[in-house]
Amino acid sequence: MQNFFTPKSIAVIGVSKNQKKVGSVIFNNLIKNYKGKIIPINPKQKSIQGKKAYPTVLDVKSNIDLAIIAIPANFVIRTIDQCGKKGIKNVIIISSGFKEIGNERLEHELYKVLEKNKIKCIGPNCLGVYDAHSKLDSLFLPTSQMTRPKSGSISFLSQSGALGSALVDLAAYEDFGFAKFISYGNATNLTETDFLEYLGKDKQTKVICLYIEGIRDGKKFMATAKKIKKPIIVIKGGRSEKGSKATLSHTGSLAGSFEVYKGAFKQSNIILADNLQELFHIAKLFDKLPKTKGKRVQVITNGGGYGIVTTDALEENNVQLANLSEKTKKRLTALFPKICIVNNPMDLVGDATDERYKIAIDACMRDSNVDFLLIILLPQTPLITKSIIKELNQFKNKKPMVFIVTGGVKTKPFVKELEKNDFPVYEFPSEAVKAIKKFI
Amino acid sequence: MQNFFTPKSIAVIGVSKNQKKVGSVIFNNLIKNYKGKIIPINPKQKSIQGKKAYPTVLDVKSNIDLAIIAIPANFVIRTIDQCGKKGIKNVIIISSGFKEIGNERLEHELYKVLEKNKIKCIGPNCLGVYDAHSKLDSLFLPTSQMTRPKSGSISFLSQSGALGSALVDLAAYEDFGFAKFISYGNATNLTETDFLEYLGKDKQTKVICLYIEGIRDGKKFMATAKKIKKPIIVIKGGRSEKGSKATLSHTGSLAGSFEVYKGAFKQSNIILADNLQELFHIAKLFDKLPKTKGKRVQVITNGGGYGIVTTDALEENNVQLANLSEKTKKRLTALFPKICIVNNPMDLVGDATDERYKIAIDACMRDSNVDFLLIILLPQTPLITKSIIKELNQFKNKKPMVFIVTGGVKTKPFVKELEKNDFPVYEFPSEAVKAIKKFI
């Protein structure tokens, strides 16, 4: 599998003089950002962008580790045969026009020619791969329309290309760190299970996110998932009757009963996200937090109403609230102004300073009745400054801390700074609470 | 009530030389942005910021329509008496230190002195008022920490000041248009019902949003709500046991059983938001959309997976999906490439152009089987341009259209442009669907 992500040499089949064509976008991204050798394949051109072009892969003398194919579906079979003869073992087929448009015959031919040549294939009908570490990038969406995330530890496996790319684009905006993004389309020979197994072993991947509509071999998938010790978070497309029907024409998947999937996910320790935004809300916690030793959550706030709606959300989601020890209560009550409420939620009120937060957090870190801190920081209040972030760093690896920060243009730099320091931040209480529920 | 929002003259009681004090922040905001006469009251200064200062309101010769009071709680009663003697009928008391810290005696004294002088009062323990049209602004959070929204039609009534200000700050960032924001704190004489009644009659207010922890007089509130023909959207704080306990120390409210509130809201045609973000997600639709004639929703997408998860969300929330007429299906199938799916969801696929969207939307506008359009636009795909927005305007008042647009830095200007044209846009399918469910 590794040749999909860090090949020494790549042939891009279907590069043309037209810079807007899929093959050209991929070729241009690669020559700009990837360190390996990039070879354009085009039957009519002698050179493209200053690189010598070849009519077919068979005309290339040097070794080729990976072929990326972006040509009309009708020419794919012949090209795969040539790849086989050339000894290429990994191909990404971007081209569509197979079973997803009802062309089962061509799909089956493709399956056979891949088998015959012992070629591992991603696709067809996919975006392929973006590796944020090696910068291997077969996405045909130009970077001017879709930004790529920085390198990090989250990998995202998506059966849908457009859905995947929209979410990856958003994740880049929100500064998530990625290991690999894989859009695998029709999964003609390599399936979701193969990728899952690979990501389970991949050292750069800490958290695995999945968008799937259907699973080819449920038992194998479950067995694979069970063996993986990393968090696996899934959002399932086709949960409803009409949604499920639509998957058939989308990726040719039989979505099957959602109840069956739910059961299978539960058995395999797979975390089910309820909607798209939750997928990354949950991933953020696994990516950034130390393991929690317990489930008792303490809320700290500088806005009474925010503390209340957060507590409501925790109780409604059956998350356990911490009970501060008498010792902690006594100490903080003595230290804080009378108007503060030392309880759960703990209300440090509107004139809370950085120092008051520091004292409150320190006390919770020392209190064995508290496992997890959910900290609301409303920076509209006058005495909260950016220096609080430095203070927070000293507590980072003691117990998990999650932040809720809501606000406008003045608040965004504060959030960025918190996230740069690897603190997970949410805009709203219910977002934080739903992610925490699935984390603890 | 109108003197709270458009007074000709305002006395700010508690302005000092210290620019950071609450009274000074309010005074500075007012002299910068409000057109009426602003009079600083301070017993020790002769002038503040070039404006003649007076020891008490009784020393002012001219008429005063509104007094904004930001002095320690102990001095408030005497000051109210002075306001009464001066003939001031409206006061906003920012000061805290009353029943919210258990000082029931002072709270009762305040109640009596207000009664005696026939003064209408907002507060105490509140932020007071921001009127986005008149620019009357008693919020003591400087604009450098909290941005004010532009003028528009949404009014927001909040029992919690910090919660209100965080949401208003965010709303400004997201370009919501506001009529009035009222933070009413302890509601010593004017209560939520009085404000609700006022907003019901206020010509600038089209949509009413509320954050409440407790209601003083349930029957009166319900009767008032029932008479109002505008949408009223509520988020309730203190829904859970521990959340409810926390309301007592926050605003001194007895939150009561949430089930009772739920029933009362339903009877009064009040829309209940499930969480903070939903409050504004729902308000956006009532603010921007024409009335819908039915409940049948058609999904149009350029990403198959997005269409599927959106359909899942619609069915899971029991929103009715439209069935395109045979005539529409036939026509579009003939016009579109074979790979497009003319159904619900309607998948215009990744190479969809502005023109293809226009044709699809036009067909749905003409199809009497469709009441409401939910349009997914993923602008990562190469052939969608900003010009599509101009095309969309021609359909605006025919049937409601809601958009889902997800993506990063390149997508944000596209979203801004859609919103500038008054199209409601959501980042995620489930956000849009939950708001639509409460709108139709």
Side-chain angles (χ1 to χ4, degrees):
Chain A
M1 279 271 202
Q2 201 52 44
N3 270 344
F4 284 121
F5 305 100
T6 53
K8 285 205 186 81
S9 57
I10 307 168
V12 184
I13 305 174
V15 190
S16 81
K17 286 241 152 171
N18 181 344
Q19 297 296 306
K20 287 198 165 177
K21 290 269 180 182
V22 169
S24 303
V25 172
I26 296 172
F27 180 73
N28 288 334
N29 278 349
L30 285 172
I31 56 172
K32 222 189 290 168
N33 303 310
Y34 191 70
K35 274 187 181 165
K37 192 175 177 186
I38 319 292
I39 306 154
I41 307 293
N42 181 305
K44 287 175 197 157
Q45 306 295 333
K46 292 219 161 148
S47 85
I48 292 174
Q49 301 266 48
K51 298 247 176 198
K52 185 170 169 27
Y54 300 84
T56 74
V57 289
L58 292 171
D59 303 299
V60 180
K61 297 244 165 62
S62 59
N63 194 48
I64 298 171
D65 291 333
L66 172 68
I68 300 174
I69 301 173
I71 53 176
N74 287 336
F75 300 106
V76 168
I77 309 295
R78 195 182 63 193
T79 303
I80 294 292
D81 244 340
Q82 291 168 347
C83 288
K85 276 188 195 124
K86 173 67 187 161
I88 300 171
K89 290 293 165 215
N90 296 67
V91 303
I92 298 173
I93 308 174
I94 307 297
S95 324
S96 58
F98 297 84
K99 75 169 173 184
E100 80 284 0
I101 59 156
N103 204 340
E104 294 287 349
R105 195 190 49 73
L106 195 61
E107 179 86 23
H108 188 64
E109 260 186 71
L110 176 62
Y111 176 80
K112 282 195 302 183
V113 73
L114 290 167
E115 282 287 293
K116 188 185 86 184
N117 289 289
K118 294 199 177 106
I119 291 175
K120 281 189 200 306
C121 161
I122 298 181
N125 183 35
C126 74
L127 290 176
V129 161
Y130 168 68
D131 182 321
H133 293 270
S134 77
K135 303 296 173 203
L136 188 127
D137 184 347
S138 78
L139 278 43
F140 62 79
L141 306 166
T143 49
S144 62
Q145 285 192 273
M146 178 204 160
T147 37
R148 302 335 190 219
K150 67 179 185 189
S151 62
S153 309
I154 296 174
S155 283
F156 179 30
L157 182 59
S158 178
Q159 194 167 358
S160 166
L163 180 143
S165 58
L167 289 186
V168 169
D169 189 22
L170 177 64
Y173 180 76
E174 294 186 346
D175 223 24
F176 280 85
F178 263 58
K180 278 135 185 120
F181 166 56
I182 307 168
S183 149
Y184 63 92
N186 292 6
T188 305
N189 80 4
L190 291 179
T191 70
E192 53 283 347
T193 305
D194 300 305
F195 298 117
L196 185 64
E197 191 179 0
Y198 171 77
L199 293 175
K201 290 176 185 158
D202 176 39
K203 282 187 183 147
Q204 286 162 344
T205 300
K206 198 170 139 190
V207 186
I208 303 169
C209 295
L210 272 91
Y211 170 75
I212 44 167
E213 294 176 0
I215 291 173
R216 195 72 58 88
D217 181 341
K219 274 189 191 162
K220 204 173 143 202
F221 182 85
M222 282 172 67
T224 305
K226 267 186 202 163
K227 271 187 258 161
I228 294 173
K229 297 294 164 231
K230 302 173 185 179
I232 304 170
I233 311 157
V234 173
I235 169 84
K236 170 78 175 66
R239 299 185 298 271
S240 64
E241 196 200 318
K242 290 203 174 163
S244 166
K245 267 186 197 159
T247 63
L248 200 62
S249 50
H250 180 226
T251 50
S253 298
L254 273 167
S257 149
F258 183 46
E259 289 308 313
V260 172
Y261 275 97
K262 255 188 180 166
F265 290 153
K266 207 173 172 186
Q267 275 182 54
S268 332
N269 299 319
I270 290 176
I271 299 161
L272 188 61
D274 290 335
N275 49 48
L276 292 180
Q277 58 272 44
E278 229 186 82
L279 189 67
F280 286 97
H281 286 165
I282 302 169
K284 197 193 277 195
L285 293 188
F286 283 104
D287 188 28
K288 296 199 167 171
L289 289 188
K291 273 200 176 158
T292 177
K293 282 168 195 148
K295 292 167 181 281
R296 295 162 305 172
V297 177
Q298 172 68 41
V299 178
I300 300 174
T301 184
N302 59 342
Y306 250 71
I308 289 163
V309 294
T310 303
T311 306
D312 285 340
L314 287 165
E315 287 206 291
E316 285 170 345
N317 285 282
N318 297 313
V319 179
Q320 203 183 331
L321 283 149
N323 283 312
L324 292 172
S325 71
E326 285 311 313
K327 198 180 139 198
T328 305
K329 278 190 187 174
K330 233 184 197 164
R331 224 185 108 233
L332 291 180
T333 307
L335 281 169
F336 288 161
K338 229 172 113 187
I339 196 174
C340 293
I341 314 288
V342 182
N343 209 324
N344 197 0
M346 188 190 298
D347 188 357
L348 306 181
V349 306
D351 69 347
T353 55
D354 299 351
E355 181 66 15
R356 202 180 292 164
Y357 266 97
K358 193 183 132 190
I359 293 169
I361 293 168
D362 184 55
C364 293
M365 290 293 172
R366 290 164 198 273
D367 190 330
S368 61
N369 286 1
V370 175
D371 299 312
F372 196 106
L373 281 74
L374 179 50
I375 301 165
I376 299 157
L377 256 175
L378 300 177
Q380 291 81 19
T381 58
L383 305 176
I384 299 296
T385 74
K386 261 196 187 176
S387 329
I388 198 173
I389 299 171
K390 240 182 274 164
E391 301 280 358
L392 292 169
N393 272 315
Q394 62 181 298
F395 302 114
K396 199 182 269 171
N397 294 310
K398 294 188 175 168
K399 290 173 188 174
M401 290 188 285
V402 167
F403 292 83
I404 298 169
V405 186
T406 309
V409 65
K410 311 289 176 184
T411 304
K412 304 294 172 190
F414 186 76
V415 172
K416 279 257 176 243
E417 193 64 27
L418 272 168
E419 291 196 322
K420 217 190 262 173
N421 282 269
D422 275 333
F423 292 111
V425 185
Y426 295 87
E427 196 163 34
F428 291 107
S430 64
E431 294 175 346
V433 167
K434 283 180 183 172
I436 289 170
K437 184 182 169 60
K438 299 198 171 168
F439 175 78
I440 57 178
Chain B
M1 279 270 201
Q2 202 52 43
N3 270 344
F4 284 121
F5 305 101
T6 53
K8 286 207 186 83
S9 56
I10 307 168
V12 183
I13 305 174
V15 189
S16 81
K17 285 239 152 172
N18 181 343
Q19 296 298 305
K20 288 198 166 175
K21 291 270 180 180
V22 167
S24 303
V25 172
I26 296 171
F27 180 72
N28 289 335
N29 279 350
L30 284 173
I31 55 171
K32 223 189 291 168
N33 303 310
Y34 191 68
K35 275 190 180 164
K37 192 174 176 188
I38 319 293
I39 305 154
I41 306 294
N42 181 303
K44 288 173 195 156
Q45 307 295 333
K46 294 222 161 147
S47 86
I48 291 172
Q49 302 266 50
K51 299 248 175 199
K52 184 168 167 34
Y54 299 84
T56 74
V57 288
L58 292 171
D59 303 300
V60 180
K61 297 241 167 68
S62 58
N63 193 48
I64 299 172
D65 291 333
L66 171 69
I68 300 175
I69 301 174
I71 54 177
N74 288 335
F75 300 106
V76 168
I77 308 294
R78 198 182 60 194
T79 302
I80 294 292
D81 245 338
Q82 292 168 347
C83 288
K85 276 187 199 127
K86 174 66 188 160
I88 299 171
K89 291 292 165 212
N90 295 67
V91 303
I92 299 173
I93 308 175
I94 308 297
S95 322
S96 58
F98 297 84
K99 73 168 175 185
E100 81 283 359
I101 59 157
N103 205 341
E104 294 288 350
R105 196 190 46 76
L106 196 60
E107 179 85 22
H108 188 62
E109 260 186 72
L110 176 62
Y111 176 80
K112 281 194 302 181
V113 74
L114 289 167
E115 282 287 294
K116 190 185 84 184
N117 288 289
K118 296 201 175 105
I119 291 176
K120 283 191 199 301
C121 161
I122 298 181
N125 182 35
C126 73
L127 290 177
V129 162
Y130 168 68
D131 182 321
H133 294 268
S134 76
K135 303 297 172 202
L136 188 125
D137 184 348
S138 79
L139 278 43
F140 62 80
L141 306 166
T143 48
S144 61
Q145 286 192 272
M146 179 204 159
T147 37
R148 305 329 193 225
K150 67 179 186 191
S151 63
S153 309
I154 297 174
S155 282
F156 179 29
L157 182 59
S158 178
Q159 195 168 1
S160 165
L163 181 142
S165 58
L167 289 186
V168 170
D169 189 21
L170 176 64
Y173 180 76
E174 293 187 345
D175 224 23
F176 280 84
F178 263 58
K180 276 131 187 129
F181 166 56
I182 307 169
S183 149
Y184 63 92
N186 292 6
T188 305
N189 79 5
L190 291 179
T191 70
E192 53 284 344
T193 305
D194 300 306
F195 298 117
L196 185 63
E197 192 179 357
Y198 171 77
L199 293 175
K201 290 177 187 159
D202 176 38
K203 282 188 183 147
Q204 287 162 343
T205 301
K206 197 170 140 189
V207 186
I208 303 170
C209 295
L210 273 91
Y211 170 75
I212 44 167
E213 294 176 0
I215 290 174
R216 194 72 58 86
D217 182 342
K219 275 190 191 160
K220 205 173 142 202
F221 183 86
M222 280 172 68
T224 305
K226 267 186 204 164
K227 270 187 257 160
I228 293 174
K229 298 293 164 233
K230 302 172 185 182
I232 305 170
I233 311 158
V234 173
I235 169 85
K236 170 77 176 67
R239 300 184 298 270
S240 64
E241 195 200 319
K242 290 201 175 168
S244 167
K245 269 187 195 159
T247 64
L248 200 60
S249 49
H250 181 228
T251 50
S253 299
L254 274 167
S257 150
F258 183 46
E259 288 309 313
V260 173
Y261 274 97
K262 256 188 180 165
F265 290 154
K266 208 174 169 185
Q267 276 182 51
S268 333
N269 298 320
I270 290 175
I271 298 161
L272 188 62
D274 290 335
N275 49 49
L276 292 181
Q277 59 272 42
E278 230 186 81
L279 189 66
F280 286 97
H281 286 164
I282 301 168
K284 197 194 279 194
L285 293 187
F286 283 104
D287 187 27
K288 298 198 168 173
L289 288 188
K291 275 202 175 158
T292 177
K293 282 171 193 147
K295 292 167 180 281
R296 296 162 304 171
V297 177
Q298 173 67 40
V299 178
I300 300 174
T301 184
N302 60 343
Y306 251 71
I308 289 163
V309 295
T310 303
T311 306
D312 285 340
L314 287 165
E315 288 208 291
E316 285 170 347
N317 285 282
N318 296 313
V319 180
Q320 202 183 332
L321 284 149
N323 284 311
L324 292 172
S325 71
E326 286 311 312
K327 197 180 141 198
T328 304
K329 278 191 188 173
K330 232 182 197 166
R331 222 184 111 233
L332 291 180
T333 308
L335 281 168
F336 288 161
K338 228 171 118 186
I339 197 176
C340 293
I341 315 287
V342 181
N343 209 326
N344 197 0
M346 189 190 299
D347 188 357
L348 306 181
V349 307
D351 68 349
T353 55
D354 299 351
E355 180 67 14
R356 202 180 291 164
Y357 265 98
K358 194 183 128 187
I359 293 170
I361 293 168
D362 184 53
C364 293
M365 290 293 172
R366 290 164 197 274
D367 190 330
S368 62
N369 284 2
V370 176
D371 299 312
F372 196 107
L373 280 75
L374 179 49
I375 300 165
I376 299 157
L377 257 174
L378 299 177
Q380 291 81 22
T381 57
L383 305 177
I384 300 296
T385 75
K386 263 197 185 175
S387 328
I388 198 173
I389 299 171
K390 238 181 278 166
E391 301 281 358
L392 292 169
N393 273 316
Q394 63 182 296
F395 301 114
K396 199 182 267 170
N397 294 311
K398 295 191 174 166
K399 291 174 187 173
M401 291 189 284
V402 167
F403 292 83
I404 299 169
V405 186
T406 310
V409 66
K410 311 289 176 185
T411 303
K412 303 295 172 188
F414 186 76
V415 172
K416 278 258 175 242
E417 192 65 26
L418 271 168
E419 291 195 323
K420 216 189 265 172
N421 283 269
D422 274 333
F423 292 110
V425 185
Y426 295 88
E427 195 164 34
F428 291 108
S430 64
E431 294 175 347
V433 167
K434 282 179 183 172
I436 290 170
K437 184 182 168 59
K438 298 198 173 168
F439 174 78
I440 57 180

